[in-house]
Amino acid sequence: ANNLFADLDFKEEAQCTPNNIRVDEPNGRLNACIKDEGKTFEVDRPSVETLLKRLKELGLPEPSVVVDSGTGYHLIWKLEKALPREDWKKVEGLIVSKLEELGADPQARDISRILRLPCSVNPKSGRQVRVLHININRKYKPEDFGTLESTTGSTEAGKKTEERNEVVPAGV
């Protein structure tokens, strides 16, 4: 696999009025109440800027792509080189465990996972899925995520390709 990902949900079961949604465009901050499988949940999602700072504090690199999944975030890290399945599982497991406190979905760690596509609509919130942050040239090595040894044989830990940060306007 040539990408790693995380599915972050910022929801807690609560007594609230469904479909009450407040979003701060374009920074991604969201406060909402949604109904899911007969239960109501309050969503309190931080801005992309706050999320990126928190990832850094947790020892994770900035994602190549941050997607507004409707109520949470999908984080995608592009790899310099495709990883064999077992190595991918190890790095993906490390990412999910580091992001547990941010609501990372522990079930969303299999290589065949399908994430919501940008421009589709999340049926739980009625909100369009969209890309909020993209850095198409940023690629990573396995060791950029923690203490795992690189499967590429390189000794240059943490080296990234040329970077180009781009914030995509709301609605894209």
Side-chain angles (χ1 to χ4, degrees), residues 3-162:
N3 292 298
L4 295 161
F5 60 86
D7 180 3
L8 301 182
D9 292 320
F10 298 92
K11 65 183 183 184
E12 290 186 27
E13 195 169 347
Q15 296 296 323
C16 53
T17 305
N19 299 325
N20 183 13
I21 297 175
R22 293 180 306 281
V23 65
D24 184 4
E25 308 281 0
N27 76 14
R29 174 96 170 93
L30 174 76
N31 185 272
C33 180
I34 61 168
K35 193 165 193 161
D36 185 12
E37 297 180 14
K39 298 178 183 176
T40 55
F41 294 91
E42 183 174 12
V43 177
D44 190 17
R45 186 180 75 187
S47 68
V48 172
E49 180 181 347
T50 300
L51 174 69
L52 295 177
K53 286 179 186 174
R54 189 68 189 116
L55 292 175
K56 187 174 183 177
E57 291 168 3
L58 292 170
L60 289 171
E62 180 180 315
S64 306
V65 180
V66 177
V67 175
D68 173 349
S69 66
T71 57
Y73 290 125
H74 292 158
L75 311 178
I76 302 167
W77 291 271
K78 194 172 176 182
L79 296 171
E80 286 184 355
K81 195 174 184 181
L83 291 179
R85 184 192 242 350
E86 290 308 310
D87 291 342
W88 184 91
K89 284 181 180 181
K90 289 176 189 173
V91 180
E92 185 68 21
L94 180 65
I95 290 170
V96 171
S97 66
K98 284 185 174 188
L99 292 174
E100 186 176 351
E101 70 181 66
L102 292 181
D105 182 351
Q107 302 302 315
R109 63 193 299 171
D110 57 274
I111 206 163
S112 63
R113 173 63 74 173
I114 298 172
L115 301 175
R116 295 188 192 283
L117 294 174
C119 299
S120 65
V121 174
N122 181 323
K124 296 174 187 175
S125 67
R127 296 188 64 246
Q128 185 176 24
V129 177
R130 59 201 177 97
V131 174
L132 294 178
H133 178 81
I134 189 167
N135 185 341
I136 58 173
N137 295 317
R138 179 167 277 181
K139 297 179 185 177
Y140 296 98
K141 298 176 184 175
E143 63 267 18
D144 293 327
F145 297 89
T147 58
L148 297 174
E149 293 297 319
S150 172
T151 58
T152 63
S154 172
T155 58
E156 297 180 66
K159 183 179 177 191
K160 296 166 190 66
T161 59
E162 178 185 338

